[in-house]
Amino acid sequence: MGATDAVVRSGVVSPFQASLRVALRRMQEVWARIRHSRTAMVGLAILVFFIGMAVFAPWVAPYGPIDRVADTSNCVPGVTCPLSPPSAQHPLGISEEGADIYSQVIWGSQISLIVGIFSAMVASVLGTAVGLVSGYMGGWVDEVMMRFNDVVLSVPWLVLMIVVAARIGTIDLLGLILVIGLTGWSITARVIRAQVLSVKERLFVERARMIGSSRSHILMRHIFPNAFPLIFANTILTVAVSILSEAVLAFLGLSIYNTVSWGKVINQAIGGGALVIGGNVWWLIVPGLCLVFLVFGFYLFGFALDEILNPRLRRR
Amino acid sequence: MARILKVMVRKGVNAAITIFGIICLNYALLRLMPGDPALSLTPRDPKYQGLAEYNRELFGFDKPPWEQFAIYLQRTVTLDWGVSYRLGLPVFDVLMRDLGWTLVLVGTSTVATIIIGMVIGSIAAQKRGKPFDILSTATGIFLYGMPIFWLGFLLLAVFEKGSIVGHYFTWWPALPSQGYYDDMLGPWSWDGAHLTSAAQHLILPALTLTLGTLAGISLVMRSSLIDVMTEDFVTTAKAKGLSDRQVLRRHILPSGLPPMVTLIALDIAFVIGGAYQVEVVFNYYGIGWETIQAIDNLDFPLLQFIIVVGGVAIVLANLVSDFILLLLDPRIKVT
Amino acid sequence: MDGVSFDVKRGEVFCLVGESGCGKTTTGKALLRLVDATEGDVFFELPTEEYRRYEELRAGRAPDAAARIDAIRRKYSFSWTEQLAWDTRQILFWLGAVAAAFVLAVGLPALAAAGIPGALVNTGFILGASLLCGLLLGVIGSLPPTRPSARTPTVLALLSILAFNLFPIVAALGWPATLPGAPFDAPGIWATVWGASSFAMLLGVIVAPIAAGAASKIVLARRRETEGLLGVKMRTLRRRLHLIFQDPYESLNPKQSVFEIVSEPLVVNKIAHDPEEIAALVARSLEDAGLRPASEFVFRFPHELSGGQRQRVSIAAALALEPDFIVADEPVSMLDVSIRTEILQLMMDLREKRGLTYLFITHDLGLAWILADRIAVMYLGKIVEQGTAEQVISHPKHPYTQALISVVPSPDPRHLVKRTILKGERPDAVNIPGGCRFHPRCPVAFERCGWSADEVAEELRSLSSGGRLLRIIGIEAQDSRTVTLQMAPGVSAGVAAATLRQIVSENRDSRLALKGVAEIRESGDAIQVTLQSWAEPPLIELGPGNAVACHLVTPPAEAVPAVTA
């Protein structure tokens, strides 16, 4: 604290700088606690693994996501021809279009992660904004927003997504992110609103009102920081949900056309007869396992982070 | 009693408003699609030209917007929803028929999920830290993240007639995997053969859906029970000498249940989403399956009202669960 | 809480004492308008003559008393609300504004069509409509009961932009006839309307918000003249009044550092902008509050501080505003006893150093004893005794005060005082006893104190179950002033009544409720017991500043009106 003392004594610190310094300290504390939590570290390890897979895909995968491994004319049946079973050269076999499934799985991590993370951010920002405003304002603003939220929540999200997707037109990356994000904000809004409602009643908010803070000041400086840990943990869980949503959409046929995601691989696996006797069952299993583990990693990390950032007053 | 009635009425009104909102949203969505709505409602095939005109008139696209909306509302309420051209049947009939099957599926799995999930959750909470707890929690988190359709395929691979596993282990039980009852038995009637067949066909889809949503329920049940268990009044009860069972029944469950019911209500939307996937995987001809078919075939009359039907179903399910919640614990303050 | 009235002089410590739930916290909060009072006034810095005039007006019957009272209230009261009626001038003003808007809306397009060659008719229409829209919004939005603030014009300007953008879509969807061959999708429609008269739209977007802002500014300025202390001035006033909460744990935001907490009042009220100035003020407040050296505490978080330190931070945050008046709501009751003295000492020192005035709310009479200049004792929402510390503590007149004082432990073991333990429990706030609110527990209650039929019936029932009223069964409270008793079969009413009278007179002094009995009569075969009339004891002033509300205390001799022979 020596440096801070000197700075304070010289009086150069502005409230903004002071807050930054303080925020930095907090983040260091949180990181230390993450390191000590076994759940968090396991989750983090899984995430690092998959993120690494996504980032280094161009170098790790032997082939591109939709490259044909060999032409139909000179392919080796059972090894490089379409629908070949796993072999030494192609550990997961060849897809119906002639692509190496192993590479597809590696490349697929990119789409799943990118879509998952960014759409979760969209959903989180939107949901948090709605939840904050709705919870704090109360009254008819709250009622209207919650009715709207109910409607969005009630409509089967799948259908909504499909209709929104059709509206946007051809599916590109941005479109997919928007679609999943714009349909996934409702739960976040509900959760954040509940938290805002409870924070609003706390004594220090009353004190802030008493000293004359404006409503926006209270919202940003008191309510939001106290809701932030929940927002953060919730976002991580939303990422997991988004990844699953993308998989479902891809499985149903709505996927980006010039590359693959895990859902699309599974879709192709079913189409390519993975379940039939003599079919390539690993084609179906491996992408699914990847999905499961990635989501598992996010959940572990998310739960652990939630525990750290939202310490329950009672120790279990 | 009067208080409960008042709250119920308020919730009923809210539900009605939400349903109205869904209907309006539906209207807006179709109108927001690019192009002439009358043409959207018909396939691009030239032989359907006449149908386009019919639709145009039916929905009144050539009339001013306010009249259009009024026409739309009127037709929605009178259940005159146009004709699906894939099947040539009125949309309403098709949807009602499928809705029944979907409800059977969703209902069975929801009941199974709730019962099994709560039991597992409460046992895990009681045996906190012991192997059962760790195992069930880990499995739970694992299953929670599993895409339901993938799970469905796995189960298919394992259980269906003529599956890979069945090929090698002839004694492995084989379950039917297509449709909701055996086509060869003829049209539906309420007799023994049909019922057994339907039940058989229900097993795999329901199993998938149950497993998929079980995890969430049991995990939350466990954590909410643990939260209650560490409360002081539970310690007091134990100190008073009540057996563990009695403590559970009289003190823990009444406090731990209400958040559960809230969660179940919220979860129903997800369950229905899962049902869609399950129906596609198992070719179970319910709303979900019909939806995907409609999308593939651009059968817009059908698609348009699936939103309404699905939405209304969820709102009603939430309403029912809210009422149950109210009856369970009159102390709950309704927001 | 009802009919509470007291005044706090500058520079003194005024203690409000009472049990929990008697309404003292609510009083404190109502003072600072954290809670709204349903009726009554909070006067701030009211000069003494004005106050006297106010009292006279309230007591007297002058015909224009109401208006003159309102004038005083407008100047000095917090609770002057803006339920301003629409006075004639304002209505005329509003009508004039609407008329002007119409004229502009019609005239401007005409001018445009005439002046700018080739302008589409639609242009003028849209322009005029937007102007009208803006003006109307501005005028309507600034009329009562809108709270006038600096932001109202901006909000209204934004609203008019919104309305303006909604307008083309509504127009297009509603009147497709004017747009031949329009595409069916909303963006297309919008583009068409925009494109058709983009000039007008652009001008309209600029004009409407300006019109809205200007209109609202004008009307708001007019309203501000008639404004009271509330609303406009409340913000500045909040700086001079402050509240210190009871709970040091919950009153500080766990996510804010000490620096942020103490500097927040300064930042929010825009008192200091310079970071150096803020840092200096924060340091000074912390040191005044006893947290030395300030630099050690500045970046700590509440969870790193002890309860006493947290309360000091609260005090420092209060001091940062340099207030004149502090309401302290049980500031030490959640702290360890050893720390209480320090904090109280600090508060007294600050009073000396900074010339503060305190309203101390506490349940601990011992504290009031030490700290207060003047004390008011509250019970169940009413002040029962009021006076200087000397008067209340040394010469308590109300039975409640006497009981409270008797249980204050004395450090001197030789000093034995008979303790008056009050019987019964404090009743619920929903079940306030009639008459004197204290009478069910009062050791010296008598006839006029407010015994209700239920209480007397209860007392008779307990006598009966004790076997003292053998020949009487069926005791019922008939109405608020009568109790009916049925006799056992075979007993005559006369005999039963006589027994009852005897028992009542025997037990009057031990069972005080019986003092409420006025008359015992036979009527038919039942006995009617009629009760004394009672009244709520008013707060009688025994001397300057010393008042008691108890029937046992007789008011000083009033001036006897001259008897006309």
Side-chain angles (χ1 to χ4, degrees), chain C residues 362-417:
Chain C
T362 177
H363 62 275
D364 187 357
L365 202 59
L367 248 138
W369 196 330
I370 301 172
L371 299 172
D373 295 327
R374 297 203 304 144
I375 300 182
V377 179
M378 278 183 80
Y379 183 78
L380 271 191
K382 282 225 176 273
I383 295 187
V384 294
E385 185 158 1
Q386 186 177 315
T388 65
E390 174 73 27
Q391 289 166 334
V392 173
I393 305 277
S394 309
H395 310 290
K397 299 186 183 54
H398 194 278
Y400 181 56
T401 325
Q402 291 165 350
L404 278 183
I405 290 177
S406 73
V407 293
V408 173
S410 163
D412 187 352
R414 288 165 296 178
H415 184 97
L416 287 170
V417 176

Coordinates of all heavy atoms in Angstrom, one line a residue, chain C residues 362-417:
Chain C
T362 N -32.9 7.0 20.3 CA -32.4 5.9 21.1 C -33.4 5.2 22.0 O -34.5 5.8 22.2 CB -31.2 6.3 21.9 OG1 -30.7 5.2 22.7 CG2 -31.6 7.4 22.9
H363 N -33.2 4.0 22.4 CA -34.1 3.4 23.3 C -33.5 3.4 24.7 O -34.1 3.0 25.7 CB -34.4 1.9 22.9 CG -33.1 1.1 22.9 ND1 -32.3 1.1 21.8 CD2 -32.6 0.4 23.8 CE1 -31.3 0.3 22.1 NE2 -31.4 -0.2 23.3
D364 N -32.2 3.9 24.8 CA -31.5 3.8 26.0 C -31.6 5.1 26.7 O -30.9 6.1 26.3 CB -30.1 3.4 25.6 CG -29.2 3.1 26.9 OD1 -29.7 3.3 28.0 OD2 -28.1 2.8 26.7
L365 N -32.3 5.2 27.8 CA -32.5 6.4 28.5 C -31.2 6.8 29.2 O -30.9 8.0 29.4 CB -33.6 6.2 29.6 CG -34.2 7.5 30.1 CD1 -34.8 8.2 28.9 CD2 -35.3 7.2 31.1
G366 N -30.4 5.9 29.5 CA -29.1 6.2 30.1 C -28.3 7.1 29.1 O -27.6 8.0 29.6
L367 N -28.3 6.8 27.9 CA -27.6 7.6 26.9 C -28.2 9.0 26.9 O -27.4 10.0 26.8 CB -27.8 6.9 25.5 CG -26.6 6.4 24.9 CD1 -27.0 5.0 24.2 CD2 -26.1 7.3 23.8
A368 N -29.5 9.0 26.8 CA -30.1 10.4 26.8 C -29.7 11.2 28.0 O -29.4 12.4 27.9 CB -31.6 10.2 26.7
W369 N -29.6 10.5 29.1 CA -29.2 11.2 30.3 C -27.9 11.9 30.1 O -27.7 13.0 30.5 CB -29.1 10.1 31.4 CG -29.0 10.5 32.8 CD1 -28.5 11.7 33.3 CD2 -29.4 9.7 33.9 NE1 -28.7 11.7 34.6 CE2 -29.2 10.5 35.0 CE3 -30.0 8.5 34.0 CZ2 -29.5 10.0 36.3 CZ3 -30.3 8.0 35.3 CH2 -30.1 8.8 36.4
I370 N -27.0 11.2 29.5 CA -25.6 11.8 29.4 C -25.6 12.9 28.3 O -24.9 13.9 28.5 CB -24.6 10.7 29.0 CG1 -24.6 9.6 30.1 CG2 -23.2 11.2 28.8 CD1 -23.8 8.4 29.7
L371 N -26.2 12.6 27.2 CA -25.9 13.4 26.1 C -26.8 14.6 25.9 O -26.5 15.6 25.3 CB -26.1 12.6 24.8 CG -25.1 11.4 24.6 CD1 -25.6 10.6 23.4 CD2 -23.7 11.9 24.4
A372 N -28.1 14.4 26.3 CA -29.1 15.3 25.8 C -29.2 16.6 26.5 O -29.0 16.8 27.7 CB -30.5 14.6 25.8
D373 N -29.6 17.6 25.7 CA -30.0 18.9 26.2 C -31.5 18.8 26.6 O -31.9 19.2 27.6 CB -29.8 20.0 25.3 CG -28.3 20.3 25.0 OD1 -27.5 20.0 25.9 OD2 -27.9 20.6 23.9
R374 N -32.2 18.3 25.5 CA -33.7 18.1 25.7 C -34.1 16.7 25.3 O -33.5 16.1 24.5 CB -34.4 19.2 24.9 CG -34.1 20.6 25.4 CD -35.2 21.5 25.0 NE -35.5 21.5 23.6 CZ -36.7 21.6 23.1 NH1 -37.7 21.8 23.8 NH2 -36.9 21.6 21.8
I375 N -35.1 16.2 26.0 CA -35.5 14.9 25.7 C -37.0 14.8 25.4 O -37.8 15.6 26.0 CB -35.3 14.0 27.0 CG1 -33.8 14.0 27.3 CG2 -35.7 12.6 26.7 CD1 -33.5 13.1 28.5
A376 N -37.4 14.0 24.5 CA -38.8 13.7 24.3 C -39.0 12.2 24.4 O -38.3 11.4 23.8 CB -39.3 14.2 23.0
V377 N -39.9 11.7 25.2 CA -40.2 10.3 25.4 C -41.4 9.9 24.6 O -42.4 10.6 24.7 CB -40.4 10.0 26.9 CG1 -40.7 8.5 27.1 CG2 -39.2 10.4 27.7
M378 N -41.2 8.9 23.8 CA -42.3 8.5 23.0 C -42.9 7.1 23.4 O -42.1 6.2 23.8 CB -41.9 8.4 21.5 CG -41.9 9.7 20.8 SD -41.4 9.4 19.1 CE -43.0 8.9 18.4
Y379 N -44.1 6.9 23.3 CA -44.7 5.6 23.5 C -45.8 5.4 22.5 O -46.7 6.2 22.4 CB -45.3 5.5 24.9 CG -45.8 4.2 25.3 CD1 -45.0 3.1 25.6 CD2 -47.2 3.9 25.2 CE1 -45.5 1.9 25.9 CE2 -47.7 2.6 25.5 CZ -46.8 1.6 25.8 OH -47.3 0.4 26.1
L380 N -45.6 4.3 21.8 CA -46.6 3.9 20.7 C -47.0 5.1 19.9 O -48.2 5.3 19.6 CB -47.9 3.4 21.4 CG -47.9 1.9 21.7 CD1 -49.2 1.4 22.1 CD2 -47.5 1.1 20.4
G381 N -46.0 5.8 19.4 CA -46.4 6.8 18.4 C -46.8 8.2 19.0 O -47.2 9.0 18.2
K382 N -46.8 8.3 20.2 CA -47.1 9.7 20.8 C -46.1 10.1 21.8 O -45.5 9.3 22.5 CB -48.5 9.5 21.5 CG -49.6 9.5 20.6 CD -50.7 10.4 21.1 CE -51.9 10.5 20.2 NZ -51.7 11.5 19.2
I383 N -45.9 11.4 21.8 CA -44.9 11.9 22.8 C -45.7 12.0 24.1 O -46.7 12.6 24.2 CB -44.4 13.3 22.4 CG1 -43.6 13.2 21.1 CG2 -43.6 13.9 23.5 CD1 -43.0 14.5 20.7
V384 N -45.1 11.3 25.1 CA -45.7 11.4 26.4 C -45.1 12.3 27.4 O -45.8 12.8 28.3 CB -45.8 10.0 27.1 CG1 -46.6 9.0 26.3 CG2 -44.4 9.4 27.2
E385 N -43.8 12.7 27.2 CA -43.2 13.7 28.1 C -42.1 14.3 27.3 O -41.4 13.7 26.5 CB -42.7 13.0 29.3 CG -42.2 14.1 30.3 CD -42.1 13.5 31.7 OE1 -42.5 12.4 31.9 OE2 -41.7 14.3 32.6
Q386 N -41.9 15.6 27.6 CA -41.0 16.4 26.8 C -40.4 17.4 27.7 O -41.1 18.0 28.5 CB -41.7 17.0 25.7 CG -40.9 17.7 24.7 CD -41.7 18.2 23.5 OE1 -42.6 17.4 23.0 NE2 -41.6 19.4 23.2
G387 N -39.1 17.7 27.6 CA -38.6 18.8 28.5 C -37.1 18.7 28.4 O -36.5 18.0 27.6
T388 N -36.4 19.6 29.2 CA -35.0 19.5 29.2 C -34.6 18.2 30.0 O -35.4 17.6 30.7 CB -34.4 20.7 30.0 OG1 -34.8 20.6 31.4 CG2 -34.8 22.0 29.4
A389 N -33.3 17.9 29.8 CA -32.8 16.6 30.4 C -33.1 16.7 31.9 O -33.5 15.7 32.5 CB -31.3 16.5 30.1
E390 N -32.8 17.8 32.5 CA -33.0 18.0 34.0 C -34.4 17.7 34.4 O -34.7 16.9 35.2 CB -32.6 19.4 34.3 CG -32.9 19.8 35.7 CD -31.9 19.2 36.7 OE1 -30.8 18.9 36.2 OE2 -32.2 18.9 37.8
Q391 N -35.3 18.3 33.6 CA -36.7 18.1 34.0 C -37.2 16.7 33.8 O -37.9 16.1 34.7 CB -37.6 19.0 33.1 CG -37.4 20.5 33.4 CD -38.0 21.4 32.3 OE1 -38.1 20.9 31.1 NE2 -38.4 22.6 32.6
V392 N -36.8 16.1 32.7 CA -37.4 14.8 32.4 C -36.7 13.7 33.3 O -37.4 12.8 33.8 CB -37.2 14.4 30.9 CG1 -37.6 13.0 30.7 CG2 -38.0 15.3 30.1
I393 N -35.4 13.8 33.5 CA -34.7 12.7 34.2 C -34.9 12.9 35.7 O -35.2 12.0 36.5 CB -33.2 12.7 33.9 CG1 -33.1 12.6 32.4 CG2 -32.6 11.6 34.6 CD1 -33.2 11.2 31.8
S394 N -34.8 14.1 36.2 CA -34.8 14.3 37.7 C -36.2 14.4 38.2 O -36.5 14.0 39.3 CB -34.0 15.6 38.0 OG -32.8 15.5 37.5
H395 N -37.1 15.0 37.4 CA -38.5 15.1 37.8 C -39.5 14.6 36.8 O -40.2 15.3 36.2 CB -38.8 16.6 38.1 CG -37.8 17.3 38.9 ND1 -37.6 17.0 40.2 CD2 -36.9 18.2 38.6 CE1 -36.6 17.8 40.7 NE2 -36.2 18.5 39.7
P396 N -39.4 13.3 36.6 CA -40.3 12.7 35.6 C -41.7 12.8 36.1 O -42.0 12.5 37.2 CB -39.8 11.3 35.5 CG -39.2 11.0 36.7 CD -38.6 12.3 37.2
K397 N -42.6 13.2 35.2 CA -44.0 13.3 35.6 C -44.9 12.2 35.1 O -45.9 11.8 35.6 CB -44.6 14.6 35.2 CG -43.8 15.7 35.9 CD -44.4 17.1 35.7 CE -43.5 18.1 36.3 NZ -42.1 18.0 35.9
H398 N -44.5 11.6 33.9 CA -45.3 10.6 33.3 C -44.9 9.2 33.9 O -43.8 9.0 34.1 CB -45.1 10.6 31.8 CG -46.2 9.9 31.0 ND1 -46.1 8.5 30.9 CD2 -47.3 10.3 30.4 CE1 -47.2 8.1 30.2 NE2 -47.9 9.1 29.9
P399 N -45.9 8.4 34.2 CA -45.6 7.1 34.7 C -44.7 6.3 33.9 O -43.8 5.5 34.4 CB -47.0 6.4 34.8 CG -48.0 7.5 34.8 CD -47.4 8.7 34.1
Y400 N -44.8 6.4 32.6 CA -43.9 5.6 31.7 C -42.4 6.1 31.9 O -41.5 5.3 32.1 CB -44.3 5.8 30.3 CG -43.5 5.1 29.3 CD1 -43.3 3.7 29.3 CD2 -42.9 5.7 28.2 CE1 -42.6 3.0 28.4 CE2 -42.2 5.0 27.3 CZ -42.0 3.7 27.4 OH -41.3 3.0 26.5
T401 N -42.3 7.4 31.9 CA -40.9 7.9 32.1 C -40.4 7.5 33.4 O -39.2 7.0 33.6 CB -40.9 9.4 32.0 OG1 -41.8 9.9 31.1 CG2 -39.5 10.0 31.7
Q402 N -41.2 7.5 34.4 CA -40.8 7.1 35.8 C -40.3 5.7 35.8 O -39.3 5.3 36.4 CB -41.9 7.3 36.8 CG -42.2 8.8 37.1 CD -43.5 9.0 37.8 OE1 -44.3 8.0 37.9 NE2 -43.8 10.2 38.2
A403 N -41.1 4.8 35.1 CA -40.7 3.4 35.1 C -39.4 3.2 34.3 O -38.5 2.5 34.8 CB -41.8 2.6 34.4
L404 N -39.2 3.9 33.2 CA -38.0 3.8 32.4 C -36.8 4.2 33.3 O -35.7 3.6 33.3 CB -38.0 4.7 31.2 CG -38.8 4.2 30.0 CD1 -38.7 5.2 28.8 CD2 -38.2 2.8 29.6
I405 N -37.0 5.3 34.0 CA -35.8 5.8 34.8 C -35.5 4.9 35.9 O -34.3 4.6 36.2 CB -36.1 7.2 35.3 CG1 -36.1 8.2 34.1 CG2 -35.1 7.6 36.3 CD1 -36.5 9.6 34.5
S406 N -36.5 4.3 36.5 CA -36.3 3.4 37.6 C -35.5 2.2 37.3 O -34.8 1.6 38.1 CB -37.6 3.0 38.3 OG -38.2 2.1 37.5
V407 N -35.5 1.8 36.0 CA -34.7 0.6 35.6 C -33.4 0.9 35.1 O -32.7 0.0 34.7 CB -35.5 -0.3 34.6 CG1 -36.7 -0.9 35.3 CG2 -35.8 0.5 33.4
V408 N -33.0 2.1 35.0 CA -31.6 2.4 34.5 C -30.7 2.0 35.6 O -30.8 2.4 36.8 CB -31.4 3.9 34.2 CG1 -30.0 4.2 33.9 CG2 -32.3 4.3 33.1
P409 N -29.7 1.1 35.3 CA -28.9 0.6 36.4 C -27.9 1.7 36.9 O -27.4 2.5 36.1 CB -28.1 -0.5 35.8 CG -28.2 -0.3 34.3 CD -29.4 0.5 34.0
S410 N -27.7 1.8 38.1 CA -26.9 2.8 38.7 C -25.5 2.1 39.1 O -25.5 1.0 39.7 CB -27.5 3.4 39.9 OG -26.6 4.1 40.7
P411 N -24.4 2.8 38.8 CA -23.2 2.2 39.1 C -22.9 2.1 40.6 O -22.0 1.4 41.1 CB -22.1 3.1 38.4 CG -22.8 4.4 38.2 CD -24.3 4.0 38.0
D412 N -23.7 2.9 41.3 CA -23.4 2.9 42.8 C -24.3 1.9 43.5 O -25.5 2.0 43.5 CB -23.9 4.3 43.3 CG -23.5 4.6 44.7 OD1 -23.1 3.6 45.4 OD2 -23.7 5.7 45.2
P413 N -23.6 0.8 44.0 CA -24.4 -0.3 44.6 C -25.2 0.1 45.8 O -26.2 -0.5 46.2 CB -23.3 -1.3 44.9 CG -22.1 -0.6 45.0 CD -22.2 0.6 44.1
R414 N -24.8 1.2 46.4 CA -25.5 1.6 47.6 C -26.8 2.3 47.2 O -27.7 2.5 48.0 CB -24.7 2.6 48.5 CG -23.5 1.9 49.1 CD -22.6 2.9 49.6 NE -22.0 3.6 48.5 CZ -21.1 4.6 48.7 NH1 -20.7 4.9 49.9 NH2 -20.5 5.2 47.7
H415 N -26.9 2.8 46.0 CA -28.0 3.6 45.6 C -29.1 2.6 45.1 O -29.1 2.2 43.9 CB -27.6 4.5 44.5 CG -28.6 5.4 44.0 ND1 -28.7 6.7 44.5 CD2 -29.6 5.3 43.1 CE1 -29.8 7.3 43.9 NE2 -30.3 6.4 43.0
L416 N -30.0 2.2 46.0 CA -31.0 1.3 45.6 C -32.3 2.0 45.3 O -32.8 2.8 46.0 CB -31.3 0.3 46.7 CG -30.2 -0.7 47.0 CD1 -30.5 -1.5 48.2 CD2 -30.1 -1.7 45.8
V417 N -32.8 1.8 44.1 CA -34.0 2.4 43.7 C -35.1 1.3 43.5 O -34.8 0.2 43.0 CB -33.8 3.2 42.4 CG1 -35.1 3.7 41.9 CG2 -32.8 4.2 42.5

